Amino acid sequence: MWKRFRSNMGAMIGVVMLIAVIVIALIAPLLFPDGPWQMVQRPFLAPFAVDGLPLGTDTLGRNVAAQLAYGAQVSLLVGLVSTLVALLIGVPLGALAGFYGGYADEGAMRFTEFFQTIPNFALAIVLVAIFEPTLFSITLAIAIVSWPPVARLVRAEVMSVRTREFVDAARLAGLSKPRILIQQVLPNTVSPIIVMASLMVATAILLESSLSFLGLGDPNAMSWGYMIGAARTVIRTSWWLSFFPGIAIVITVLALNLIGEGLNDAFNPHLSRKGKA
Amino acid sequence: MSETLTVERLTIGLPEGADRPFAVENVSLTINKGEILCVVGESGSGKSMTANALMGLLPQGVDVKSGRAMFEARDVLRLPEADKQALRGAQIAMIFQEPMTALNPLMRIGDQISEVFAAHGLYTQSERRKRALELVREVGLPDPEKIIRAYPFQLSGGQRQRAMIAMALALEPKLLIADEPTTALDVTTQAQILKLILDLRKRRGMAVMFITHDFGVVAEIADQVIVMREGKVVERGDAAAVLDNPQHEYTKRLLDAIPTGKFPEARQLSDTPALEIKNLRKTFRTGGGLFKPVREVHAVDDVSLTVARGEVLGLVGESGSGKSTLGRTAVRLVTPDGGHVMVGGVDLAALSEEELRQQRNKVQMVFQDPYASLNPRQRIMGALTDGPINRGVPKEKAQAKARELLEIVGLGADAAMRYPHEFSGGQRQRIGIARALAMEPELIIADEAVSALDVSIQAQVLDLLRDLREKLSLSILFITHDLRVAAQLCDRIAVMQKGRLVEIGRVEDIFLNPQQEYTRQLLAAVPGADWAEPEEVTA
């Protein structure tokens, strides 16, 4: 599995890019001990105009490089945590629906459809607008809008695995139903879930950026979306203020997508588009 | 006789990393006009690859390395794709194992046959239709007018295979390649299809290359036989000569592995029953809506039978006869609608879900598909100890027992720490048997437990079961569609048809002196019946 993943060029590039972003996020406090909000120079300094400010300064004279590094923290944190929460909601619900069928299935799926009928982004905006816009509420809002596809995927996988003969064998061994579900069925649905999760992190980062762009971000957290949003009025005079955070988003999302596809090919070698099995 | 096809030293390479460098190595064969050549071999012997190479249907990464195949003075292996296309269907036709997937599910039968003409630009629309009708009639499909307007899902397996044959015959090919065309069919249907192929051969003088794993089928239809193993031809010759006087060790082994008419010695059966089924009923209801009547299938219809302690009872029937449902009801994977399943004084059919979990160990099952019956993400040790530990057996004891059982089924104790994918189909089936034994059951139900295996592996697993029966005095309900397999292992045989028990009796009685018409039909349909058991028939 790992061997197949490693032989996939795109996926390895994705891993390298993602690791770079993670490292930058982690060492941000060491690189920029003053934090992202500190005014360090004149506003609107272009990149490389002054030593020590390779990406210039923003409308208030803050260091863009520092903002980017701290923004990485927020983006990754929101992306990972919201995906985890979405999995925590989606996997159990989908598993129960798929395994028990009948009324459990009907109930869970109608509930899921209720969320699917509302456009993701609109629901996220409403949720954040209702709560205080904090990192916590934003993460929760993103999780709430992204779990339904997880539930549907897990349900479908569980439904197909539960008809396999080894599940019958486990029943004959006298194992209880919850134990069969957790011990026998769920481990066999892990690979598509991992693939989906890696892509969901990317979507979550985009959602968070969009929310911050609209000014619905946490006012106490520097994020890429907020940077672009704040710079949009001066986009013609100070291009770098929206360009660099934009690039950061593209790189991170691209890396996650590459990894997701690499995982998918590694888990399902027969479906790989590379041709050679 | 004139030669239709001559293959000379055909070698087909496999992609790197396969288990051997060549799928087929140095294979030569000749098929004469009007002759049936059977290519026999177990899975992975390269028999299908040979056929696919002739049709130009090799999968990606697999290609012809050397050799030639002369058909009408042309080498079909080296033809450009366009010529190959013209050849396929028109001169060489092929039928496949699985008629459901080989037919387009969204097209009517008649249209699919007409399409063969259309693809080769022959005839007008109305003529195509007329010819399609003739073909449908020729392959013996009932009610041709109606059949050509039917969709594949409306046909039974045997009818679909006939439709496939009609398509293959459409352009009067000189060579028909049949790749295991009867493997997916019931014995009685298989017998009909074989008869149809023999008929057509006689009427049209086609050459037929018939690929099979079943020597019974060979005995039924072959003129010439080629036995393949791991890509090489190990034996060739007249059908009669190969069957009666095999030269190669491997052929002998294959022939020995085939259940012949020799019955196991009759054994004294004990009087205490291990399993008593009384008036068991199970009805499946499907469909049904506001305006649609509910469709009812009586899968098990008032069946009563007993399996004595230490007895192996064979449950034989065609697909849809309810034999599997009976087995699954006996272990309560399916809850019956009525009747009793008495095991060791407990009626399994009447227990609640929770009580049942406590009694689960009494009846265990060995499943058909060795690839689906083990959890790919669980070590063998886990599969073997989950049940016992759940029943309260201490972990150390359960693991020791699991190792011991793996020794008994012939895998060795170190198999315990491995994952299922490291084992072959036959080995997995042994693990399945060990798993059933680990629960110390009073009865084991083997549901088509050897059907998915090659004959030689099948023989080994049957040996193992026979062995275990002696050693542990096991009681087994052995469900199978194959009368020959049942004859090898069982003490008594029960025949089921459409959910009802038709006949039950000792193996010799069923084989030599069947009481019911249906049993006689089944016996007559067994391929190679006359060849395999001449003594018994005259006895």
Side-chain angles (χ1 to χ4, degrees):
Chain A
M1 216 291 293
W2 172 236
K3 216 172 121 194
R4 278 202 298 271
F5 184 74
R6 240 178 11 191
S7 65
N8 186 331
M9 263 295 278
M12 287 321 286
I13 293 174
V15 169
V16 170
M17 279 160 43
L18 187 66
I19 288 178
V21 175
I22 291 174
V23 167
I24 290 172
L26 287 178
I27 62 171
L30 302 176
L31 290 178
F32 308 101
D34 295 335
W37 305 100
Q38 188 78 39
M39 281 176 259
V40 291
Q41 254 292 355
R42 278 187 296 122
F44 299 115
L45 273 179
F48 297 109
V50 175
D51 277 350
L53 295 172
L55 302 182
T57 58
D58 74 347
T59 44
L60 296 173
R62 293 173 299 204
N63 187 351
V64 174
Q67 290 180 321
L68 269 190
Y70 282 91
Q73 287 185 342
V74 171
S75 289
L76 288 177
L77 190 74
V78 170
L80 284 175
V81 175
S82 66
T83 300
L84 273 180
V85 175
L87 289 180
L88 282 179
I89 307 173
V91 172
L93 201 68
L96 291 177
F99 192 69
Y100 288 98
Y103 287 118
D105 188 21
E106 285 292 325
M109 283 303 109
R110 293 302 86 80
F111 184 61
T112 311
E113 273 160 16
F114 172 72
F115 279 87
Q116 286 194 307
T117 49
I118 310 169
N120 266 357
F121 193 55
L123 181 57
I125 290 176
V126 170
L127 287 171
V128 175
I130 294 172
F131 303 116
E132 293 265 288
T134 61
L135 271 188
F136 175 78
S137 67
I138 291 171
T139 311
L140 193 70
I142 294 177
I144 286 176
V145 300
S146 32
W147 67 265
V150 182
R152 294 205 148 254
L153 175 82
V154 173
R155 169 176 173 266
E157 287 291 323
V158 166
M159 283 174 101
S160 94
V161 172
R162 105 183 145 164
T163 58
R164 307 255 287 274
E165 284 177 342
F166 67 80
V167 176
D168 284 343
R171 277 178 68 192
L172 288 184
L175 303 188
S176 63
K177 279 193 166 177
R179 195 167 152 199
I180 292 174
L181 174 59
I182 293 166
Q183 195 188 326
Q184 306 279 336
V185 177
L186 275 184
N188 284 291
T189 64
V190 169
S191 20
I193 297 178
I194 289 180
V195 172
M196 186 174 217
S198 71
L199 299 175
M200 276 170 64
V201 175
T203 326
I205 289 176
L206 285 177
L207 260 177
E208 189 276 333
S209 301
S210 314
L211 285 173
S212 321
F213 175 82
L214 293 179
L216 290 167
D218 186 337
N220 301 315
M222 179 56 70
S223 97
W224 295 336
Y226 164 77
M227 289 168 73
I228 300 176
R232 75 181 190 282
T233 49
V234 294
I235 192 161
R236 270 180 293 176
T237 50
S238 315
W239 55 269
W240 61 92
L241 292 184
S242 31
F243 179 75
F244 291 116
I247 289 292
I249 294 174
V250 168
I251 288 179
T252 315
V253 171
L254 180 67
L256 285 162
N257 276 298
L258 286 172
I259 293 171
E261 272 188 19
L263 285 172
N264 194 26
D265 288 353
F267 283 128
N268 307 307
H270 301 297
L271 301 179
S272 159
R273 287 154 300 128
K274 297 280 184 296
K276 237 172 88 180
Chain B
M1 245 193 283
S2 62
E3 289 156 4
T4 300
L5 174 79
T6 317
V7 177
E8 286 164 23
R9 306 181 70 77
L10 174 67
T11 299
I12 300 172
L14 284 171
E16 268 176 64
D19 59 337
R20 59 177 198 246
F22 300 110
V24 172
E25 214 176 332
N26 267 332
V27 166
S28 305
L29 55 87
T30 312
I31 310 177
N32 294 319
K33 190 165 178 298
E35 191 176 73
I36 297 182
L37 171 79
C38 274
V39 181
V40 197
E42 301 191 61
S43 49
S45 63
K47 54 192 197 305
S48 288
M49 280 293 181
T50 312
N52 287 340
L54 294 175
M55 291 300 277
L57 295 177
L58 287 177
Q60 251 191 354
V62 179
D63 43 22
V64 176
K65 292 278 187 248
S66 64
R68 42 186 212 148
M70 301 307 291
F71 178 80
E72 309 232 293
R74 285 192 296 178
D75 183 359
V76 292
L77 300 175
R78 305 267 180 277
L79 286 179
E81 187 54 35
D83 288 1
K84 264 187 201 166
Q85 217 164 32
L87 201 68
R88 279 199 287 259
Q91 306 281 336
I92 307 179
M94 189 161 180
I95 51 179
F96 301 91
Q97 172 171 355
E98 192 33 79
M100 188 68 219
T101 48
L103 289 168
N104 182 345
L106 295 177
M107 247 172 121
R108 294 174 199 276
I109 298 296
D111 294 341
Q112 300 204 31
I113 299 174
S114 314
E115 199 192 40
V116 179
F117 298 119
H120 289 265
L122 295 169
Y123 312 124
T124 62
Q125 190 71 38
S126 59
E127 264 180 312
R128 283 176 195 155
R129 201 165 178 75
K130 217 178 91 217
R131 290 196 175 247
L133 198 62
E134 279 168 19
L135 283 165
V136 167
R137 206 166 275 136
E138 181 172 1
V139 295
L141 280 165
D143 208 349
E145 302 282 345
K146 218 167 144 191
I147 286 275
I148 60 169
R149 282 201 309 275
Y151 287 99
F153 71 88
Q154 294 168 313
L155 273 54
S156 72
Q159 288 174 336
R160 281 186 216 127
Q161 199 55 280
R162 281 173 195 269
M164 273 300 295
I165 293 174
M167 280 174 73
L169 294 179
L171 297 172
E172 315 206 344
K174 301 205 166 56
L175 174 65
L176 177 69
I177 299 177
D179 190 356
E180 304 255 12
T182 58
T183 308
L185 304 176
D186 281 328
V187 265
T188 45
T189 324
Q190 165 170 316
Q192 290 163 11
I193 295 286
L194 292 179
K195 191 166 165 294
L196 172 67
I197 290 178
L198 279 172
D199 261 13
L200 290 169
R201 187 264 306 253
K202 206 194 281 168
R203 227 179 306 150
R204 299 191 165 211
M206 283 185 306
V208 182
M209 178 172 169
F210 196 102
I211 296 168
T212 180
H213 65 277
D214 189 340
F215 263 108
V217 172
V218 175
E220 205 81 357
I221 66 168
D223 301 313
Q224 297 283 323
V225 182
I226 280 185
V227 183
M228 285 184 74
R229 184 195 189 189
E230 291 178 359
K232 297 187 188 107
V233 173
V234 297
E235 182 152 3
R236 64 175 76 229
D238 275 354
V242 173
L243 289 174
D244 295 337
N245 188 18
Q247 299 300 314
H248 195 275
E249 220 23 65
Y250 180 67
T251 318
K252 283 183 199 159
R253 272 229 317 276
L254 281 185
L255 283 167
D256 282 347
I258 303 180
T260 54
K262 283 179 217 121
F263 306 120
E265 239 167 84
R267 301 179 313 141
Q268 198 57 46
L269 298 176
S270 93
D271 291 335
T272 34
L275 168 76
E276 265 182 290
I277 291 177
K278 285 184 201 148
N279 306 98
L280 198 68
R281 279 183 293 104
K282 177 72 196 174
T283 308
F284 290 110
R285 291 178 181 81
T286 51
L290 268 185
F291 304 103
K292 248 175 38 189
V294 181
R295 209 171 79 94
E296 284 195 352
V297 178
H298 299 280
V300 179
D301 196 0
D302 198 12
V303 171
S304 305
L305 55 81
T306 54
V307 181
R309 186 151 291 169
E311 182 193 7
V312 181
L313 176 69
L315 188 58
V316 182
E318 300 189 88
S319 53
S321 63
K323 58 188 192 305
S324 280
T325 307
L326 180 66
R328 294 173 71 82
T329 315
V331 290
R332 255 301 281 282
L333 281 173
V334 172
T335 303
D337 295 333
H340 307 281
V341 179
M342 306 295 293
V343 179
V346 181
D347 185 359
L348 287 183
L351 294 178
S352 75
E353 194 72 23
E354 201 46 48
E355 290 166 326
L356 184 66
R357 285 215 299 123
Q358 310 305 320
Q359 306 283 350
R360 274 290 191 200
N361 68 304
K362 289 199 162 150
V363 188
Q364 286 295 305
M365 197 155 182
V366 179
F367 296 89
Q368 168 170 12
D369 184 349
Y371 292 90
S373 61
L374 291 169
N375 185 346
R377 295 194 183 259
Q378 192 178 29
R379 287 179 203 277
I380 304 306
M381 180 58 90
L384 260 56
T385 53
D386 266 358
I389 291 175
N390 194 49
R391 278 181 62 213
V393 178
K395 196 172 172 195
E396 269 78 59
K397 215 172 144 200
Q399 292 190 338
K401 174 92 183 173
R403 287 200 195 87
E404 188 190 326
L405 282 169
L406 284 170
E407 289 289 354
I408 291 178
V409 298
L411 284 175
D414 50 339
M417 295 325 284
R418 290 156 71 187
Y419 283 97
H421 69 85
E422 298 173 53
F423 296 94
S424 68
Q427 288 173 324
R428 288 176 192 221
Q429 217 52 320
R430 287 169 191 268
I431 295 168
I433 293 169
R435 173 174 61 191
L437 290 175
M439 298 295 282
E440 299 176 347
E442 311 211 356
L443 176 81
I444 286 185
I445 293 177
D447 188 359
E448 301 275 10
V450 297
S451 309
L453 306 175
D454 276 329
V455 260
S456 57
I457 311 288
Q458 199 175 51
Q460 289 168 16
V461 174
L462 286 175
D463 277 341
L464 172 66
L465 284 175
R466 215 174 286 128
D467 218 40
L468 292 174
R469 181 184 67 181
E470 298 303 330
K471 264 192 223 152
L472 312 172
S473 78
L474 269 185
S475 320
I476 304 177
L477 179 62
F478 190 85
I479 300 172
T480 180
H481 67 280
D482 193 334
L483 269 167
R484 294 170 296 176
V485 171
Q488 273 193 313
L489 179 70
C490 302
D491 300 300
R492 287 190 306 152
I493 289 183
V495 181
M496 269 186 89
Q497 182 195 21
K498 292 181 185 156
R500 289 185 161 273
L501 194 64
V502 176
E503 187 167 358
I504 183 166
R506 303 176 76 88
V507 176
E508 301 96 293
D509 296 341
I510 293 279
F511 267 76
L512 302 179
N513 190 18
Q515 298 301 310
Q516 300 293 324
E517 182 52 35
Y518 180 69
T519 315
R520 275 194 281 273
Q521 275 175 28
L522 269 187
L523 283 167
V526 169
D530 316 331
W531 157 74
E533 46 197 303
E535 299 108 291
E536 274 77 16
V537 171
T538 49

